Amino acid sequence: MAVRPVHLIGDDILREVSSEVNELTPEVSALIEDMFDTMYDKDGVGLAAPQVGVLRRIIVIDTSPKKKNPIVLINPEVVLQEGEQITSEGCLSVPEIYGKCVRPEHVVVKAKDRNFKEITIDAEGLLAKCIMHEIDHLNGVLFVDIMIEEDKDRTAKKE
Ligand code: NI
């Protein structure tokens, strides 16, 4: 287990499309553990593999206040999205900028979990926002590409 360096905006690897994971190998399991270590170390609520320099379709998320609800999504696929919310987003790869984006309020996502078992996640609000933000990373998209305006209140506070 280790904290890995996070690649920052301007780094070309963040603009690549990541590949699917075809099998659960020890390397994939180690990567997932390192992604959690890295995310918690930096007080993030989500992290995608390309942010640590690995172009694989793997996401980790934990929106709970005390690291109690770790979620792993491998090869996530959005099967339903509905409604709309205006979010306020930041990103470990985009230091000191926050922005408002339009995201679906409700999403249903199919994926594999850390045991490579099929799961379906039904998410609303904050979790829906995080899932969509992280899936964007797998396609080379950053929140600053889609933000409707900078969230200057949060940017000024450097939350
Ligand atoms: Ni991000």
Side-chain angles (χ1 to χ4, degrees):
M1 305 223 298
V3 173
R4 299 196 188 188
V6 173
H7 292 248
L8 301 180
I9 186 167
D11 189 325
D12 290 343
I13 201 162
L14 295 175
R15 298 313 193 167
E16 301 282 332
V17 175
S18 292
S19 317
E20 293 217 330
V21 177
N22 297 317
E23 60 173 332
L24 188 64
T25 60
E27 288 76 18
V28 168
S29 295
L31 170 64
I32 289 167
E33 293 315 310
D34 286 357
M35 286 172 65
F36 275 116
D37 288 347
T38 305
M39 180 183 80
Y40 289 133
D41 180 67
K42 313 230 177 285
D43 291 322
V45 293
L47 191 74
Q51 293 182 273
V52 292
V54 181
L55 290 171
R56 293 284 170 207
R57 302 187 82 80
I58 303 171
I59 288 167
V60 300
I61 291 174
D62 191 348
T63 58
S64 74
K66 289 183 180 171
K67 307 182 180 180
K68 281 194 178 141
N69 189 25
I71 295 170
V72 177
L73 299 177
I74 301 174
N75 304 337
E77 195 184 326
V78 178
V79 293
L80 180 148
Q81 50 181 307
E82 61 182 8
E84 202 173 275
Q85 59 174 327
I86 306 291
T87 61
S88 176
E89 305 193 16
C91 179
L92 295 178
S93 294
V94 186
E96 295 182 6
I97 292 178
Y98 294 86
K100 295 178 184 174
C101 302
V102 181
R103 299 283 190 189
E105 165 62 27
H106 175 213
V107 297
V108 176
V109 177
K110 283 190 176 171
K112 291 198 161 73
D113 69 6
R114 68 169 84 206
N115 300 311
F116 226 54
K117 188 173 142 254
E118 288 270 6
I119 52 167
T120 301
I121 296 219
D122 192 310
E124 296 183 341
L126 173 63
L127 184 56
K129 162 184 105 169
C130 288
I131 288 173
M132 298 308 284
H133 175 117
E134 300 309 332
I135 288 177
D136 274 355
H137 276 297
L138 304 182
N139 297 316
V141 175
L142 300 175
F143 81 90
V144 288
D145 304 339
I146 61 161
M147 75 180 182
I148 50 178
E149 61 176 319
E150 195 173 337
D151 188 345
K152 293 208 188 297
D153 292 345
R154 284 188 75 190
T155 300
K157 272 195 233 158
K158 294 185 182 172
E159 264 178 50

